Structure formats: structure tokens, C-alpha cells
Amino acid sequence: MIGVRSAIVALSVLGLTASAGAHPRRPDAAASVPAIVASPAFKSAMSAFEREHDRVVADTITLTEIEAPPFKETRRAQAYLAMLKAHGLTDVEMDDIGNVMGIRRGTGPAGGKLVVIAAHLDTVFPEGTNVKVRREGTKLHAPGIGDDTYSLAVLLGYLRALDAAKIRTERDILFVGNVGEEGPGDLRGMRYFFGQGKYRDRVHAFFSMDGTEASRVTHGAVGSRRYRVTFKGPGGHSYGAFGIVNPMQAMAKAVVDFGAVQVPAKPRTTYAASVVGGGTSVNSIPDAIWLEVDMRSESRDELAKLDAKFLQIVKDAAEFENRQRSTRLGRITVEPKLIGDRPAGQTPESAEIVRATAAAVKAAGYTPQLGASSTDSNVPISLAIPAVTIGSGGSGARAHSVDEWIDVAKPEAVKGAAVGLASILAMAGVAR
Amino acid sequence: MIGVRSAIVALSVLGLTASAGAHPRRPDAAASVPAIVASPAFKSAMSAFEREHDRVVADTITLTEIEAPPFKETRRAQAYLAMLKAHGLTDVEMDDIGNVMGIRRGTGPAGGKLVVIAAHLDTVFPEGTNVKVRREGTKLHAPGIGDDTYSLAVLLGYLRALDAAKIRTERDILFVGNVGEEGPGDLRGMRYFFGQGKYRDRVHAFFSMDGTEASRVTHGAVGSRRYRVTFKGPGGHSYGAFGIVNPMQAMAKAVVDFGAVQVPAKPRTTYAASVVGGGTSVNSIPDAIWLEVDMRSESRDELAKLDAKFLQIVKDAAEFENRQRSTRLGRITVEPKLIGDRPAGQTPESAEIVRATAAAVKAAGYTPQLGASSTDSNVPISLAIPAVTIGSGGSGARAHSVDEWIDVAKPEAVKGAAVGLASILAMAGVAR
């Protein structure tokens, strides 16, 4: 109840009632969830979703087997664009950054506020990764299948379900397959969408569907700072120049010291030394080694503290190596380059979208798990646009590893998928 | 004088007098050098070499401009094979590993002990490297030109010089252009030659001509052990799976501990962590990181000690990481793979071949520089077959870099080339 009261405050502060003039004042979205879920139309939609379950699975496999490494999402994007078109959306297009999208028109006037539901096209896996889906009963194994390809297919399932149940919404719903969610992409799909995209001023509510867990209501944006650090030295013959400083040693010292840093469990703060490379040949002292690291926190302050520690560590590691070995041919230098910077922040727990999504989770029979993560929602959250990240339903594990898998056993998958559909309908408003 | 006495001991120990039965007992080869160099026949040979200097240069350019990357020496080998044939050698052939060779018959019985002079065909440069020779006066610039293509041309010059001066030797001389001297080749040409080749039991003395410096008598074989070590772990999402073991940390710990190892300056022993790679993406805890290292020593024992230390270090580093972080999704494992193994050893300073070569260096007007290196001679040295590596004459620099060059100014080139010819003749014995 307190939640509701503070939500009203939040709504006026954020100007979320801007389109209210075009419609009679809507009931609170969270309050509308039980009625939506109980309605014959919603039940009919979910029955259609269930009937079409095999097609969701088939679309998942099709899309998973089209590689989509960071910055190379185009082929998958084009396939998804064709699917969006085939599902009867209007204004289907690929924007300048590579996001594909289309509108399911509501009953309200064209050009009004809309609800966005997005799943990301990209995976973390480089070109040449084996993306062939291996099926074991209801378990599907493939890199990227749960993060986030299954979500793309679920969104298409929603479209068929809404059409089958003849559900119209008041607001338009924009269905998006976006680029650049994963690491190196640094949210470029959503940065473009909210920075220059044509819908940037029309977003009433933003949902990112990312991963499977249906009970998750990710309203916190975990911030991240990512670096590519290059350690340089003179290099030389491994035998002839033995004794000179080696940038490999400086890199290693930095990783060891970084690995000893203690971070709080609450607010959750993490780090990883993730990618490394460099060296001329096995019989050469390298002249350059680079290292990529990821640091994250729910808290802006903790992230800033960790960031400062890391920068000090790499600097100290270079100096350590300059004392350890000879600098007669040159010194170790270190150049940290910021390659990722995601804002931390929160859609308040009291916000309508958070309460509505939590209500949808409960209505589906789960206990809402409110939390924080680093997803496409970071961008709208940092702009104070109401946003949450939700799960697709089903289950899965081992995201970002080649052992990634999902379980698409029908009962659980359909039960979980109801969360997203109910949340979207609540925020878009079901037309009478 | 002490050198001479100990040489006689060495000769009997090494069985170098085995073929003495077929010939009257030969004078010590080192002692014979002054007479050989002073002989009209030798002077006539070197005059012919000098007259043909331009042809040596022309052959150098021809061969340099045929690319010969590691494992891809065949085209150059075939060209050199044709040249050996054209120089009237017998038994000209390419062996199963790709070495090309031919015999200049001596006056002794066929099938007896012989003297080998080899230069290597391969370069360190990958396919597609620009190998066009750029000439500036007597300076020739091209990758691989001094290491070791010029030597190949000098050997052909020796053949023409010997023929012009009608010099016959007692022992056969086997002229070889061999494969696999450089890094990744790991001496495979000479390993085959001395392991399975048809001449393996007939070698009285082995000369490798490698590089230009005529004063160099490389009788020590610097041994090396090279590893590619792969650290593996479960991998996972940098935020979601934070706290699990990270193979990057294990690699870094191993590099730091390796970097703290103390090695003796004498016998010279060195190491380098040289090449590294791995990782899935900046936002993933990697599932595998690999590291390449090079270890070398003039001493077999020191190399073995260093090798054992390194293997212990990588094992301990994996276990350290397994204690540092959670193994709930799996443990760090480590797989060291030996990718290079060159035996260490020495042809004793007292050995006839070392003293004869040093005498030839002195006779040419240089001061002998005895030393150790990692060359084709490592293989026979490890088998206690008398072997040294010598220079071609001339000068040069920047080997293993694309800026490599040699200077073929005639006086210095001819003066230096006399060292190899006199050394070979001393060991083969000049027939009366």
C-alpha cells in the first residue's frame, strides 16, 4: 500500500501521466494485473502460446544457429526483421545502429507513448563458435541460446498469442531485437535507441527480456567499468635480451593484485580479468600485452572505489616490473583504455512498472525476486525512464560459456512466459 | 699446447679415430690448418671464390626471393637441390623431411666417414612477407638474407672454388640445405638427419654455417624447453558467476612466480613468458587461458632444474587459485604441452673440430670467439658428434626482423669465407 502511494508520487515526478489526456485516467497498472490475467482473452492468448510452443522452440533453434558475435549481429538481425514482418507488425525497420523493430498498433492515436519490449540479438561468442543446437529431450544446448535468443522467439510467440486472442492494447507496443547488449557492444543498441532513435521520446515503459528466470524483476542497473589495459616494453630476444623488463610480468602482477581485492557482497560488487593477448613469438620477450577487465557494482560509489583501486594496481604493477628487471632498453608503460562504462541506477521499487511486473510474477505463481543486473535497461534507467528486465520463462544455465543450455519443458516455459505478457499488457493497457 | 694434448684424449674418447684404419694416421686437423691455408691449392680456391663473388651474391638474391617460412621450405629446397646438382655433386636428393643434399666424393672408400657442411633453408618469416632484396651498394636488405640464405650461396661458392683449384679431399663432404632450424621448426631437419637419415652413422664432423660472423666458433649448444600451458576452468558470467575460480588468475600467479625464479649467469640460463591469449569476452570469466614460455641454458642440468621449477609453478598456481576462489562450478586444471625441446651440450673446447675451426679463424686474421648458441649443431652435439656452427663471412644485422641486412663488400666477404673452407678441408683431409 505504501508502495502504491509512493508510486503515484513517482508517476507525477517522472511525467508518466503525460498521455493521460488522450485516454480516460487509467487505473494503476499493478492493480490491473489480476483482472488481466483472469480475463478470458488472456487465457486464450496463453492457450495459443502453449499450442504454438513447438514453433517458439523451432524459432529459437533457427535464430541460435545464426551466429551473432558482438558487432556482427546483422545476419541474425535480418532474419529477425523478416520474422517481425511476417507477424504483421507495422513500421518494421532496421535503425542506423542495427536494431530491428516493429509496432503492434494500439487503439490510441498514432505517435503516442508506447511500451517497448526488447530482446537482444548479440551473443558474447566470437565468430566461428559452434552454434549448432544440441537437443536432449527438452534441454537445448548451444552458446547464446538462453542469453538471449530464446527471448527473441518468445516475443514472436506473444505476437501470435495476442493475435489469436484478438487482444488490442491502448498504447502501441514496440517489439525490438536489439544489438550491442553484451560486453564490447557496451549497450550501443539501446544507447542509440534512447539517444538518437525516433522513439526515444515516446517510451512510456521499457521491458528488456533477458535470460529465462520468470521470477526476476530487475529494476536495478548494475553499473560497470571496463578497461583494455596495454602494458608495453622494449621487447627483444628471449635469450639475448634476458634480464630486461617484460610487460607479461607487469600484466601478471596486476592480475594477481587485482584478484586479491575484497569487494562487498552488498551492494553487490564484482570484477573479472577476462581477456588477454599479446606476444611476438615463443622465443621473444614481448613488447606488448593487453588485458581486458570488467568491474561492476549495484552502487555507483563502490564502482568508483573499485575503479580507482584497479587503476592504481596497473600503475603499480608496471613500476614493480621496472624495479624487478633491467630498464636499460626501455621501461614498462601502461595505458588503461576505458572500453565500457555503464551507468548504475534504479527504477524505484515503488514505480508502476516494477509493481506491475512484480504483480505479474505473483499472478503466474512465482515469488518476485527484485534485483539488479547489467542489461539493456541500464540505459533507460540512467535516463529515469521506467524500465525493468524480465525473464522469458523456462530455465537455463551456464550463460557466457559454451556449455550454455535452456530447458524448454512446456509447462514451466508457458507458466513463465505469462509474466512478460501480463506485464506488457498492464503497462500498455488492454483496450475494451 | 695443453689444448692439443687434451684433444688427443678427447679424440680417443669420442672414437674419432675410427676411420684411421682406412687411411694412414692423419695429423691433427688443427695442426694441419696453417699448411692448408698456405698451400697454392687453397690460395687458388680462394681466388676462384673471389672471382665468383658476384655469382655468390646473385645466388643469394635468387634464393632469398623464394619464400621459405617454417614448414614451407619446399620451393626453396627444390631450387637449391637443382643448384647442388648443377655443381656436380653425386647422390643429390631430398630426404623425407625435406632436407636437400649431395656428396662431393673424397678419395677414401665409398661409404666411409664424411664431413657435413649445412646451411638452413628456412626463415622465421611467415608467408606473404616481402622478401624482395633491396640493394644499396654492397648492402643487401631482405628478411632472411643473412640468416641463413647467404650461407647457402657461399657453400655453392666453395664447390666452384674446390673444383677450380682441383682440390680433392680424403673424406667425402656432404653439402646440405636443411629445413626446420628456426623456432617452430624445432630443429626437425637435423633431428631427422641424425635420427633416421642415411648418413647418421657416417658423420666425422658437422659444420653448420649460420649467420655471417667469421670469427665465431659456436661449440656450445644452448638447450631450450618451450611450453604452451593451458589453464582451464568452468568459466561463466563475470557478474553472475563472480567468486568462481578464474584461469586468468592462475596464469598470472604462474607468471609472477616464474618471474621470481633466480637463474645462474654462468652457465647462462634464461627464461621468458612470451605469448599469451584467451578469454571469451570482457564480461565473461574465461574458461581457458594459454601461455607460452621459453627456457634456455648452456647447461643441461640447469635447464632440467628450471624446467622442473616451471612445471611445479604452474601446478601450484592452479592449486593456489583453487584455494583462492570457489570451485563449485569446477576446478582450475593445467595442461603444459612441450612445444620445443632443444638439447643442451658442448663440443669440448679441446675437440679437434673446435681447435681446427679456431685455427682457421686465426689463419684468416680474426680472433676466435668461442661461444654457445641454439643452432642446428645442437642435435649432433647432444649425440656427442663433433660439431660447430660457423659464420659465412661478410657482415650483417637485425636477424629475425624485417630490417635484416648483410654487407657483401668483397674483401671482407672473401676473407671471412676462407674460415669455413679451411675448417672443412682440415676435417676432411686434403688428399695429396
Side-chain angles (χ1 to χ4, degrees):
Chain A
M1 297 308 116
I2 291 170
V4 176
R5 206 169 51 219
S6 60
I8 293 161
V9 175
L11 283 169
S12 14
V13 166
L14 295 172
L16 296 184
T17 53
S19 66
H23 293 278
R25 188 163 186 91
R26 287 197 187 83
D28 176 76
S32 71
V33 167
I36 289 172
V37 171
S39 69
F42 187 81
K43 286 183 202 294
S44 158
M46 287 314 300
S47 296
F49 189 90
E50 184 170 5
R51 278 197 310 277
E52 296 255 321
H53 177 72
D54 287 350
R55 184 156 166 203
V56 171
V57 173
D59 287 347
T60 302
I61 295 171
T62 301
L63 290 167
T64 300
E65 292 183 350
I66 303 171
E67 280 189 89
F71 299 100
K72 290 176 181 168
E73 302 100 335
T74 311
R75 272 184 55 232
R76 185 181 286 185
Q78 278 160 346
Y80 198 59
L81 180 97
M83 290 170 165
L84 292 176
K85 259 193 192 135
H87 281 74
L89 297 186
T90 65
D91 303 284
V92 175
E93 61 168 326
M94 180 182 287
D95 69 16
D96 286 349
I97 201 85
N99 301 315
V100 292
M101 62 195 88
I103 285 185
R104 187 172 193 275
R105 278 284 287 125
T107 55
K113 289 273 176 178
L114 44 70
V115 171
V116 182
I117 171 76
H120 66 85
L121 295 158
D122 56 313
T123 75
V124 297
F125 302 96
E127 263 180 311
T129 301
N130 178 6
V131 290
K132 185 86 193 152
V133 177
R134 182 168 59 82
R135 188 160 187 167
E136 280 176 356
T138 56
K139 263 178 101 172
L140 304 180
H141 301 256
I145 194 159
D147 182 10
D148 188 29
T149 323
Y150 179 58
S151 298
L152 291 166
V154 166
L155 298 195
L156 301 175
Y158 285 174
L159 284 168
R160 295 191 299 275
L162 291 169
D163 289 351
K166 298 193 168 51
I167 295 178
R168 300 291 309 273
T169 53
E170 293 174 350
R171 294 195 172 87
D172 293 352
I173 306 174
L174 183 68
F175 285 78
V176 182
N178 65 276
V179 298
E181 195 275 337
E182 297 291 1
D186 203 26
L187 307 183
R188 77 183 195 292
M190 282 305 124
R191 281 184 208 276
Y192 180 87
F193 184 93
F194 286 101
Q196 295 125 277
K198 67 201 239 192
Y199 297 110
R200 65 182 174 181
D201 296 324
R202 290 180 55 193
V203 183
H204 169 64
F206 177 87
F207 291 94
S208 163
M209 182 180 281
D210 199 348
T212 52
E213 290 160 73
S215 59
R216 211 161 27 81
V217 183
T218 303
H219 67 108
V222 173
S224 65
R225 298 274 289 178
R226 291 166 179 169
Y227 286 93
R228 183 181 174 110
V229 185
T230 305
F231 297 85
K232 289 187 180 168
H237 196 286
S238 62
Y239 188 68
F242 177 68
I244 67 166
V245 287
N246 180 346
M248 182 83 79
Q249 295 293 149
M251 176 280 292
K253 172 76 172 142
V255 171
V256 166
D257 291 351
F258 189 40
V261 169
Q262 298 296 318
V263 285
K266 201 86 201 136
R268 184 169 169 81
T269 303
T270 70
Y271 60 85
S274 44
V275 193
V276 72
T280 309
S281 65
V282 68
N283 53 348
S284 303
I285 297 164
D287 56 10
I289 299 289
W290 56 267
L291 170 74
E292 289 183 0
V293 303
D294 174 71
M295 295 177 277
R296 307 195 190 201
S297 182
E298 291 174 354
S299 147
R300 210 175 291 235
D301 287 353
E302 287 297 335
L303 186 58
K305 263 163 48 184
L306 182 58
D307 185 83
K309 266 184 204 163
F310 173 71
L311 292 176
Q312 190 62 47
I313 281 170
V314 297
K315 213 177 127 196
D316 289 351
E319 284 319 308
F320 178 82
E321 177 63 5
N322 283 328
R323 288 191 305 273
Q324 280 310 96
R325 269 165 272 269
S326 166
T327 56
R328 65 186 161 84
L329 295 181
R331 298 173 65 79
I332 299 292
T333 60
V334 60
E335 293 162 27
K337 189 184 161 205
L338 189 67
I339 58 170
D341 184 13
R342 300 184 177 203
Q346 274 208 334
T347 300
E349 284 191 30
S350 57
E352 188 178 30
I353 188 171
V354 178
R355 290 181 297 102
T357 306
V361 169
K362 267 186 221 152
Y366 301 101
T367 305
Q369 310 290 337
L370 270 68
S373 183
S374 177
T375 68
D376 278 323
S377 291
N378 280 43
V379 178
I381 287 174
S382 74
L383 299 169
I385 294 168
V388 294
T389 296
I390 60 177
S392 56
S395 62
R398 306 290 288 126
H400 292 205
S401 89
V402 289
D403 304 325
E404 186 174 353
W405 58 267
I406 56 171
D407 192 328
V408 292
K410 203 196 274 186
E412 201 58 31
V414 173
K415 181 181 167 190
V419 173
L421 191 61
S423 306
I424 295 164
L425 289 177
M427 293 307 289
V430 179
R432 269 157 284 238
Chain B
M1 297 305 118
I2 291 169
V4 175
R5 205 169 53 221
S6 59
I8 294 163
V9 175
L11 283 170
S12 15
V13 166
L14 295 173
L16 296 185
T17 54
S19 66
H23 293 278
R25 186 164 186 91
R26 285 198 188 82
D28 176 75
S32 73
V33 166
I36 290 172
V37 170
S39 70
F42 187 82
K43 287 183 198 298
S44 159
M46 288 313 300
S47 296
F49 189 90
E50 185 170 4
R51 280 196 308 277
E52 297 255 321
H53 177 72
D54 287 350
R55 184 155 165 203
V56 171
V57 173
D59 286 348
T60 302
I61 294 171
T62 300
L63 290 166
T64 300
E65 293 183 350
I66 304 171
E67 281 190 89
F71 300 99
K72 291 176 180 167
E73 303 99 334
T74 311
R75 273 183 56 231
R76 184 181 287 185
Q78 278 160 347
Y80 197 58
L81 181 99
M83 290 170 165
L84 291 175
K85 259 194 192 134
H87 282 75
L89 297 186
T90 66
D91 302 286
V92 175
E93 61 168 326
M94 179 183 287
D95 69 15
D96 286 349
I97 201 84
N99 302 314
V100 292
M101 62 196 86
I103 284 185
R104 187 173 193 275
R105 279 284 287 126
T107 55
K113 290 272 178 178
L114 45 70
V115 171
V116 181
I117 172 75
H120 67 85
L121 295 158
D122 57 312
T123 74
V124 296
F125 302 97
E127 263 181 311
T129 301
N130 179 6
V131 290
K132 185 85 192 154
V133 177
R134 182 168 58 84
R135 189 162 186 165
E136 279 175 359
T138 57
K139 264 179 102 172
L140 305 179
H141 301 256
I145 194 159
D147 180 11
D148 186 30
T149 323
Y150 179 60
S151 297
L152 291 165
V154 165
L155 299 195
L156 300 176
Y158 284 174
L159 284 168
R160 295 190 300 273
L162 290 169
D163 289 351
K166 298 192 168 49
I167 295 179
R168 300 292 308 272
T169 52
E170 294 174 349
R171 294 197 172 86
D172 294 352
I173 307 175
L174 184 68
F175 286 78
V176 182
N178 65 276
V179 297
E181 194 274 338
E182 296 291 359
D186 202 28
L187 308 181
R188 78 184 194 291
M190 282 304 124
R191 280 183 209 275
Y192 180 89
F193 184 93
F194 286 101
Q196 296 125 277
K198 67 202 240 193
Y199 298 110
R200 63 181 175 182
D201 295 325
R202 290 180 56 194
V203 182
H204 170 63
F206 176 87
F207 291 94
S208 164
M209 182 179 282
D210 200 347
T212 52
E213 289 160 74
S215 60
R216 211 162 24 86
V217 184
T218 303
H219 67 108
V222 174
S224 65
R225 299 272 289 177
R226 290 166 179 170
Y227 286 93
R228 183 183 173 109
V229 185
T230 306
F231 297 86
K232 289 187 180 168
H237 196 287
S238 63
Y239 188 68
F242 177 68
I244 67 165
V245 288
N246 181 346
M248 182 82 79
Q249 295 292 149
M251 176 280 292
K253 172 76 173 144
V255 171
V256 166
D257 290 352
F258 190 41
V261 168
Q262 297 297 319
V263 285
K266 202 81 200 142
R268 184 169 170 81
T269 303
T270 69
Y271 61 84
S274 43
V275 193
V276 72
T280 310
S281 66
V282 69
N283 54 345
S284 303
I285 297 164
D287 57 9
I289 299 289
W290 55 266
L291 170 74
E292 289 184 0
V293 303
D294 174 70
M295 295 178 276
R296 307 196 190 200
S297 181
E298 290 174 355
S299 148
R300 203 177 299 234
D301 288 353
E302 287 297 336
L303 186 57
K305 264 163 48 184
L306 182 57
D307 184 84
K309 265 183 205 163
F310 173 71
L311 291 176
Q312 190 62 48
I313 281 169
V314 297
K315 212 177 126 195
D316 290 350
E319 284 318 308
F320 179 80
E321 178 62 6
N322 284 327
R323 288 190 306 273
Q324 280 310 96
R325 268 164 271 270
S326 167
T327 56
R328 66 186 161 84
L329 295 181
R331 297 174 66 78
I332 299 293
T333 61
V334 60
E335 293 162 26
K337 189 181 161 207
L338 190 68
I339 58 169
D341 183 15
R342 299 185 177 204
Q346 272 211 333
T347 300
E349 284 191 29
S350 57
E352 189 179 29
I353 189 172
V354 178
R355 290 181 297 101
T357 306
V361 170
K362 267 185 221 152
Y366 301 101
T367 305
Q369 311 291 335
L370 273 67
S373 183
S374 178
T375 69
D376 276 326
S377 290
N378 280 42
V379 179
I381 288 173
S382 74
L383 300 168
I385 294 168
V388 293
T389 296
I390 60 177
S392 57
S395 62
R398 305 290 289 132
H400 292 205
S401 89
V402 289
D403 304 326
E404 187 173 354
W405 58 267
I406 56 171
D407 191 328
V408 294
K410 204 197 272 187
E412 200 58 31
V414 173
K415 180 182 167 190
V419 172
L421 192 59
S423 305
I424 295 163
L425 289 176
M427 292 309 288
V430 178
R432 268 158 285 237

